[in-house]
Amino acid sequence: MAWKKFPYPQIDYVYTPARLKRAWSRLHAGDAEPWPQDTELVQCWIAFHAGDFELAAQRGLAYGIDGYSVAHKASCIHAHYLAGSDKGARLDAVIERCELQQAQQPCNAAAYYWHAYALGRRAQDSSVLKALAQGVAGKVYQSLMKTLELTPRHADAHVALGTYHAEIIGKVGAVIGALRYGVSQKDSYGYFDAALALNPDSAVTRIEYAHALLTLEGAAKKAAASALYQAAASCKAQDATERLDVEAAKKAA
C-alpha cells in the first residue's frame, strides 16, 4: 500500500549534510541517536527529517542493519500520524526487525526503543487490557528499561515509561497497578519531568504528559493539561516529525 505523503512540506525541513550535522543534537535530543558516520546514512536521515518517510525507510532497509534505526523511526512516525489501514502491518514489521536487530546489535538502544514504541502503539490501537493479559506490557517495559540502561539520556524512552505507568493505572486502577505491575502516578510524572529536562523543546513530550494527567487525575488536571497542549502547539518545529507533533497539539489544545 502506498505511503501517504507528509502534508506540510517546507524548505526548512530539507537539510544539507552540513546543516543537519549542526542541528543534530537538537533534532535528536529525544532519541539520542548518534551522528551517522556514513554519507549514505546521512542521506537517509535527510529524507526522514524532510518528511519523506517512505524513502527514508526504504534507503535505511537497503543499507542493512545499520540503517534499521532510521527505517524504524520513519515507519513508526508515519504509522502513528499518517498511515491508514496499513498501520498495524507497518508496526508489526518494525517489531520483527527490532527483534532481529536486538540479536545482532544488542547494544543499540534504537533496537529496544522502537520495539517498545511499536508494541505500545499496537496495544493502544487494539486494547491495553488485552495487551496486559497477553504479556505485551512486560515486553514494552523490558525494552524501555534496556533502552535507558544503554542510553540514560534517551528522553523519548522516559516519555514512553511515563505513558506506560499512566495507561496501566488508567485501565486497572492505582492499587492493582501498583501490586501487579509496579506502576505509580508518582513515577509517571517523574519520567515526564525527566524527559522535559532532557529535551525541553519537545512538543510530543508535552502532549503525552497532558494525556497522562487526564488519564490519572481527570478533570482535576484539565487546566494543567490544557496548558501543556498550548505549550506544545507553540513549539517551533525544526523538521517534519516535529511539525506533525505541533499540528496534533493544535487539535488537542
Side-chain angles (χ1 to χ4, degrees), residues 29-234:
D31 62 8
E33 182 72 25
W35 170 254
Q37 297 302 311
D38 188 279
T39 56
E40 191 174 339
L41 280 178
V42 172
Q43 291 300 319
C44 294
W45 283 107
I46 286 174
F48 169 81
H49 289 294
D52 196 339
F53 300 118
E54 182 176 18
L55 181 62
Q58 289 176 345
R59 285 185 174 179
L61 293 176
Y63 188 88
I65 196 76
D66 288 335
Y68 276 19
S69 294
V70 64
H72 297 331
K73 190 166 188 176
S75 298
C76 285
I77 297 302
H78 189 277
H80 179 54
Y81 281 120
L82 299 173
S85 60
D86 56 337
K87 178 178 181 178
R90 190 155 297 147
L91 291 172
D92 287 342
V94 170
I95 294 165
E96 183 177 347
R97 288 199 303 268
C98 283
E99 291 172 355
L100 173 64
Q101 188 179 21
Q102 289 168 15
Q104 296 188 31
Q105 295 184 331
C107 293
N108 190 329
Y112 300 93
Y113 173 73
W114 292 111
H115 182 250
Y117 183 100
L119 283 170
R121 291 299 185 197
R122 278 298 255 155
Q124 288 175 334
D125 290 342
S126 55
S127 166
V128 173
L129 286 175
K130 183 178 179 181
L132 289 172
Q134 294 175 339
V136 174
K139 294 179 181 179
V140 170
Y141 181 76
Q142 289 169 9
S143 284
L144 290 175
M145 294 308 292
K146 183 65 175 180
T147 303
L148 290 183
E149 176 188 326
L150 293 168
T151 310
R153 295 183 64 80
H154 198 296
D156 291 346
H158 285 278
V159 173
L161 280 163
T163 298
Y164 170 88
H165 281 255
E167 289 200 344
I168 291 179
I169 293 171
K171 292 300 180 183
V172 303
V175 175
I176 294 176
L179 292 174
R180 188 172 298 176
Y181 301 103
V183 296
S184 72
Q185 176 179 299
K186 179 181 178 181
D187 284 344
S188 176
Y189 294 162
Y191 279 119
F192 283 115
D193 289 338
L196 281 174
L198 290 167
N199 189 12
D201 298 316
S202 173
V204 73
T205 299
R206 290 171 169 82
I207 292 170
E208 296 296 341
Y209 203 164
H211 290 346
L213 287 174
L214 294 174
T215 298
L216 291 169
E217 300 190 65
K221 291 294 184 179
K222 186 175 180 180
S226 179
L228 282 168
Y229 285 132
Q230 290 173 13
S234 298

Side-chain angles (χ1 to χ4, degrees), residues 14-28 35-36 42 238:
V14 181
Y15 285 82
T16 63
R19 181 168 165 255
L20 180 60
K21 189 170 186 177
R22 290 194 299 272
W24 188 263
S25 61
R26 160 66 178 79
L27 290 170
H28 290 271
W35 170 254
V42 172
Q238 301 293 323

Side-chain angles (χ1 to χ4, degrees), residues 80-81 202-204 207 232 240-250:
H80 179 54
Y81 281 120
S202 173
V204 73
I207 292 170
T241 299
E242 292 186 4
R243 178 65 180 275
L244 291 168
D245 295 336
V246 168
E247 294 299 327
K250 289 177 181 177

